[in-house]
């Protein structure tokens, strides 16, 4: 702990935040379903912290130490890691994308999977396959 009362207030607030925001908050306890699939909840954690104080004299000749701190923690569940016999997959539970940029970012993994399967299917040839009419 600090040697100053204002530092003590800051240390106490940070200790409380550490208690709320740990690795178990971001990656939860595994849940095993009856069919053997393991689900691990994953969350996004955001937090803010502010602290301040004064150890001088206030108006009217009073002296002392004034200190305060505040913190906010926000936990948003974003999905589950789904682990089965041979695969690990992230299943998202986020709100649908609103902006065009968000939609593009959300679609990127699917597009990459399609490109990869296309390359695997046609052996990386430079010519696209002939289309049937």
């Amino acid at each position: 702990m600090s040697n100053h009362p204002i530092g003590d207030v800051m240390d106490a607030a940070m200790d409380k935040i550490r208690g709320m925001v740990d690795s178990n908050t971001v990656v939860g306890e595994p849940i095993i379903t009856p069919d053997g699939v393991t689900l691990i909840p994953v969350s996004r954690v955001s937090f803010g912290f502010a602290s301040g104080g004064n150890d001088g004299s206030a108006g009217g000749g009073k002296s002392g130490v004034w200190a305060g701190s505040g913190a906010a923690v926000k936990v948003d569940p974003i999905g589950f890691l789904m682990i089965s016999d041979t695969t690990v997959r992230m299943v998202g539970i986020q709100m649908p994308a609103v902006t065009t940029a968000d939609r593009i970012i959300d679609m990127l993994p699917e597009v990459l999977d399609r490109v990869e399967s296309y390359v695997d299917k046609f052996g990386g040839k430079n010519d696209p396959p002939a289309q049937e009419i």
Side-chain angles (χ1 to χ4, degrees), residues 1-62:
M1 287 283 169
S2 174
N3 292 331
H4 196 279
I6 295 173
D8 291 342
V9 169
M10 292 175 64
D11 290 341
M14 287 304 293
D15 285 343
K16 294 292 185 183
I17 290 174
R18 278 187 207 101
M20 290 186 287
V21 181
D22 64 3
S23 61
N24 291 329
T25 306
V26 177
V27 179
E29 293 292 321
I31 302 163
I32 300 173
T33 64
D35 59 347
V37 175
T38 302
L39 300 172
I40 301 174
V42 179
S43 300
R44 176 185 304 128
V45 178
S46 308
F47 71 94
F49 172 75
S51 182
N54 185 2
D55 63 352
S57 61
K62 297 180 181 178

Side-chain angles (χ1 to χ4, degrees), residues 21-125:
V21 181
D22 64 3
S23 61
N24 291 329
T25 306
V26 177
V27 179
E29 293 292 321
I31 302 163
I32 300 173
T33 64
D35 59 347
V37 175
T38 302
L39 300 172
I40 301 174
V42 179
S43 300
R44 176 185 304 128
V45 178
S46 308
F47 71 94
F49 172 75
S51 182
N54 185 2
D55 63 352
S57 61
K62 297 180 181 178
S63 63
V65 174
W66 296 271
S69 66
V73 176
K74 180 181 175 186
V75 179
D76 292 318
I78 61 170
F80 292 90
L81 280 174
M82 189 169 76
I83 305 168
S84 62
D85 292 335
T86 59
T87 61
V88 176
R89 199 174 116 203
M90 179 70 181
V91 179
I93 58 171
Q94 295 183 25
M95 294 294 293
V98 177
T99 66
T100 302
D102 289 339
R103 287 185 187 135
I104 291 170
I105 291 170
D106 285 347
M107 290 174 56
L108 192 58
E110 183 180 343
V111 169
L112 291 175
D113 285 344
R114 287 184 181 185
V115 168
E116 183 181 7
S117 67
Y118 179 82
V119 169
D120 289 344
K121 184 175 180 181
F122 297 105
K125 294 180 183 177

